């Protein structure tokens, strides 16, 4: 588990993502979004783009007709704030040219 007083590193988030991918795909969506943000903030545009694409691929497996279906289950992941609602429109809006 990461120390709650500091943001998780990209490497820590990637490890969390791999565990979640096997156990909780919605959590993996949230973590892939956090990874896209973390890499963007670090100026690593290619890695950010890869995580945006991963997030969008995972989101395709979930329904998105209601707010309840797209509501984030956490407020942040590894120190990265999550949007209240997480769906492809939000991801594309937040990452613009990276999508």
């Amino acid at each position: 588990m990461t120390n709650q007083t500091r943001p998780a590193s990209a490497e820590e988030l990637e490890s969390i993502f791999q565990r979640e991918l096997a156990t909780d795909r919605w959590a993996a969506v949230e973590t892939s979004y956090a990874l896209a943000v973390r890499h963007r903030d670090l100026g690593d545009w290619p890695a950010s783009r890869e995580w945006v694409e991963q997030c969008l691929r995972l989101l395709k497996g979930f329904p998105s007709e209601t707010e309840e279906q797209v509501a984030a289950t956490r407020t942040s992941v590894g120190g990265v704030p999550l949007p209240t609602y997480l769906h492809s429109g939000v991801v594309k809006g937040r990452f613009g040219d990276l999508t």
Side-chain angles (χ1 to χ4, degrees):
M1 193 53 129
T2 61
N3 180 341
Q4 297 302 311
T5 61
R6 69 165 179 80
S9 69
E11 293 78 19
E12 289 169 319
L13 286 173
E14 287 179 27
S15 177
I16 291 166
F17 172 81
Q18 291 303 324
R19 284 194 308 271
E20 290 171 344
L21 193 57
T23 61
D24 184 343
R25 290 183 69 80
W26 183 257
V29 167
E30 294 176 343
T31 301
S32 63
Y33 176 88
L35 276 157
V37 171
R38 178 62 38 87
H39 283 290
R40 181 189 64 195
D41 291 351
L42 292 170
D44 187 346
W45 305 113
S48 183
R49 180 177 287 113
E50 287 178 28
W51 285 106
V52 167
E53 291 169 358
Q54 177 67 42
C55 184
L56 291 171
R57 275 192 301 273
L58 287 169
L59 281 170
K60 286 182 183 177
F62 290 94
S64 60
E65 289 81 34
T66 68
E67 288 181 355
E68 291 80 20
Q69 292 171 328
V70 297
T73 60
R74 300 176 278 184
T75 57
S76 68
V77 173
V80 176
L82 295 177
T84 303
Y85 301 108
L86 191 52
H87 54 80
S88 61
V90 168
V91 174
K92 290 175 182 178
R94 301 260 173 117
F95 289 94
D97 290 342
L98 288 180
T99 58

